[in-house]
Amino acid sequence: MERREFVKLCMTAATAVAAAPRVLAETGGSLHTHERAQLTDRQGRPLTAHALRRQETYVFNYPYASTPCFLLRLKEPAPDGLELKPKEGSPYTWPGGVGRDHSVVAFSAICPHQLSFPSAVRSVIDYRRDKSQAAGRAGVIVCCAHGSVYDPTHGARVLGGPAPQPLTTIALEHDPRTDHLYAVGTMGIEVFDQFFSAYRKELNQYYGRGAYREPVSGKAPVETMDRYTRNRIHC
């Protein structure tokens, strides 16, 4: 089954309970529906999966104006069908990578341990294509705030550190005809409400009062991590 079809199947199932999205989250439903947004470059032109550089860290904001996500084209395909089990909440099945080689994945860049995230000033959480001293390996997402390590090839499951759950998956849809990418929802446990509560003052100052909670729809511009933040802290 094409992954685009898989996502559509999930969307169809989710539509029946779309009026109560929290029910999906509380019962561990596979897909939490959000506005559909096409991934674009900084000029608003559609992004293609094959144009992504392998193991480069890209960032876009989704499903809200202030919530950053990692977009990665991994060195190898990311297998589907993996069941992930958070310490709290229901297990869910991760759909794997998308794109023609099934290597494109996306995750929320907000660490679920203590909500560290990439900002324009600095980032303590990042994907490491080279070996991380803290993780002892390459090809992982590392949060240097407290040493949480995530495996992006397997649904951002926790490999080490205090994180209680995987990074929230950003569900992607891939159009095999055009190679375009769309964000369509999330999977796993969301921490956006906690993030908004923890950083309300800073987010209001940066985005404008209340604008930080505006849903992303239509287009979601993508940029490299080097452009997104001025200081990438690695460990």
Side-chain angles (χ1 to χ4, degrees):
M1 179 184 293
E2 287 286 344
R3 297 181 191 283
R4 185 181 181 212
E5 295 174 356
F6 170 84
V7 172
K8 283 189 172 182
L9 182 61
C10 292
M11 290 288 286
T12 302
T15 301
V17 289
R22 287 191 178 278
V23 174
L24 273 175
E26 292 169 359
T27 59
S30 295
L31 183 68
H32 312 299
T33 55
H34 290 281
E35 298 284 343
R36 186 172 185 265
Q38 183 170 21
L39 305 190
T40 72
D41 64 15
R42 289 163 58 86
Q43 288 71 45
R45 297 172 298 203
L47 198 67
T48 55
H50 78 273
L52 297 171
R53 293 189 291 274
R54 290 191 188 275
Q55 297 192 287
E56 176 77 56
T57 306
Y58 296 89
V59 183
F60 65 101
N61 287 354
Y62 184 85
Y64 301 100
S66 63
T67 50
C69 307
F70 292 131
L71 176 68
L72 302 168
R73 186 182 180 196
L74 302 172
K75 185 169 63 174
E76 55 194 17
D80 61 5
L82 176 68
E83 185 176 66
L84 296 174
K85 300 178 179 178
K87 286 186 178 179
E88 297 182 2
S90 300
Y92 58 96
T93 302
W94 188 61
V98 302
R100 290 167 182 163
D101 58 2
H102 298 177
S103 66
V104 179
V105 297
F107 304 98
S108 171
I110 302 171
C111 181
H113 174 229
Q114 290 197 358
L115 306 175
S116 299
F117 69 102
S119 71
V121 177
R122 69 168 189 166
S123 179
V124 297
I125 182 170
D126 203 346
Y127 171 75
R128 298 295 305 276
R129 62 185 168 195
D130 53 349
K131 185 177 180 180
S132 159
Q133 289 186 344
R137 57 184 291 182
V140 292
I141 296 171
V142 182
C143 180
C144 295
H146 302 96
S148 293
V149 182
Y150 305 93
D151 179 2
T153 306
H154 297 91
R157 64 182 178 180
V158 180
L159 295 177
Q165 65 208 38
L167 296 173
T168 306
T169 291
I170 304 301
L172 297 176
E173 178 184 305
H174 174 251
D175 187 334
R177 296 176 299 107
T178 63
D179 204 29
H180 293 168
L181 296 164
Y182 303 83
V184 297
T186 68
M187 302 179 74
I189 297 177
E190 296 184 347
V191 295
F192 303 128
D193 286 342
Q194 298 95 311
F195 176 73
F196 294 150
S197 296
Y199 298 107
R200 181 177 293 108
K201 180 180 178 181
E202 292 85 354
L203 295 173
N204 272 321
Q205 289 175 343
Y206 190 83
Y207 290 93
R209 188 172 181 80
Y212 65 89
R213 297 194 67 131
E214 292 182 0
V216 172
S217 63
K219 295 181 179 179
V222 176
E223 54 190 331
T224 63
M225 188 67 155
D226 284 333
R227 284 184 175 271
Y228 191 86
T229 188
R230 293 196 293 272
N231 186 13
R232 301 173 68 172
I233 297 173
H234 289 164
C235 56

